[in-house]
Amino acid sequence: MAISPNPQSLRARAYENFRQQILQANVQPGQFVSQRELMQLLDMPLGAVRELIPRLEAEGLLRTVPQRGLQIAHVDLKLIHNAFQLRSMLEREAALHFVQAVSDAELASIEQAHLSIVQRAVQGPITDELLTEATSVDWGLHDLMIDTLGNDLISQTYRINSLRVRLIHLERSTLSAEVLLPAMQEHLNLIAALKLRDPLAVAEHVAFHIHSAHQRVLGQDRRVLSTLARLDSPSPSTSVTSITTLTEFS
């Protein structure tokens, strides 16, 4: 006799498949899909998709529009501001814990991963493969800081909000060739503060990095590098690893 799949595992798989569709940019903000189209997209049975929909609606990732079907979260200014405000609050708390908890060896490995991305970007060309790897390195640091708190509720809340932020980036801005180096520079500045075990500098660099990402999404980022240069001026408390070939945003 065939054993029926565990309903809980089907729901979890359906959710993970939906998450991957966002991460891989296979769905777009505001896109309409039917239940059957979603079933095909996720490669899941209709029953699992129907059970998934209320969770996605509760998390603000999907909504049911009468006579039109299911709509992937529509990006507007309210969603942008709310998502980045929540991100800022969670990451600041996480970073203040991370600066005490992370080992020197872990920081060295994280820094090397960033420097490798930078070296390849400077040497060029900046390929889609490099951008994908850079995105993984970028979000990997943020996820690690959050997870180091050891709080499942915070990690879950952060992961859901990260999906909102990914949708925002799909709509407004992505880690493109022109922003890769500035984003990596911001991370290297944060890593330098972490290596010095300087909580104040860490909090400042986290806040600045999230503010810069927010401004990039809003299209108000043309002066980010000049602001970054002022923030990065050497001080007694903070040593900054510099990228010497940053270019102005277009």
Side-chain angles (χ1 to χ4, degrees), residues 194-226:
L194 287 166
K195 289 171 66 177
L196 289 174
R197 310 294 175 174
D198 185 338
L200 179 59
V202 165
E204 288 175 348
H205 283 295
V206 166
F208 183 81
H209 178 54
I210 295 174
H211 173 74
S212 296
H214 192 176
Q215 294 303 298
R216 283 193 281 268
V217 165
L218 295 175
Q220 299 172 354
D221 55 9
R222 293 184 179 276
R223 300 272 66 87
V224 167
L225 288 182
S226 62

Side-chain angles (χ1 to χ4, degrees), residues 65-244:
V65 180
Q67 300 181 343
R68 295 204 62 184
L70 304 169
Q71 185 182 30
I72 307 299
H74 173 67
V75 173
D76 56 21
L77 286 176
K78 181 178 181 181
L79 176 63
I80 292 171
H81 290 307
N82 288 351
F84 274 93
Q85 183 179 41
L86 179 57
R87 181 183 173 189
S88 180
M89 293 170 63
L90 294 177
E91 289 198 36
R92 184 184 185 280
E93 180 68 22
L96 290 176
H97 173 79
F98 191 67
V99 70
Q100 303 297 332
V102 65
S103 69
D104 291 341
E106 285 178 300
L107 285 176
S109 177
I110 292 167
E111 183 177 45
Q112 185 54 49
H114 283 75
L115 290 174
S116 175
I117 295 291
V118 168
Q119 182 179 17
R120 290 162 59 190
V122 169
Q123 293 174 347
I126 298 178
T127 63
D128 289 343
E129 180 182 2
L130 178 57
L131 288 172
T132 298
E133 187 175 338
T135 298
S136 178
V137 169
D138 185 321
W139 281 93
L141 175 56
H142 295 282
D143 290 346
L144 179 61
M145 288 196 299
I146 289 290
D147 290 342
T148 299
L149 285 168
N151 187 314
D152 291 341
L153 292 177
I154 292 177
S155 290
Q156 181 180 13
T157 299
Y158 182 79
R159 291 298 193 280
I160 294 169
N161 196 57
S162 290
L163 293 178
R164 300 187 190 106
V165 173
R166 294 296 184 95
L167 284 172
I168 290 168
H169 279 281
L170 289 178
E171 175 71 14
R172 300 298 182 101
S173 172
T174 59
L175 186 54
S176 62
E178 65 182 8
V179 303
L180 185 152
L181 286 173
M184 289 294 104
Q185 176 69 80
E186 291 165 13
H187 269 222
L188 286 168
N189 296 340
L190 170 60
I191 293 166
L194 287 166
K195 289 171 66 177
L196 289 174
R197 310 294 175 174
D198 185 338
L200 179 59
V202 165
E204 288 175 348
H205 283 295
V206 166
F208 183 81
H209 178 54
I210 295 174
H211 173 74
S212 296
H214 192 176
Q215 294 303 298
R216 283 193 281 268
V217 165
L218 295 175
Q220 299 172 354
D221 55 9
R222 293 184 179 276
R223 300 272 66 87
V224 167
L225 288 182
S226 62
T227 304
L228 179 61
R230 291 196 300 272
L231 183 63
D232 290 346
S233 297
S235 68
S237 62
T238 305
S239 173
V240 177
T241 303
S242 294
I243 298 172
T244 59

Side-chain angles (χ1 to χ4, degrees), residues 35-46:
Q35 286 189 12
R36 293 202 173 273
E37 287 171 334
L38 191 59
M39 177 184 70
Q40 295 171 357
L41 188 66
L42 303 183
D43 191 25
M44 297 297 297
L46 186 57

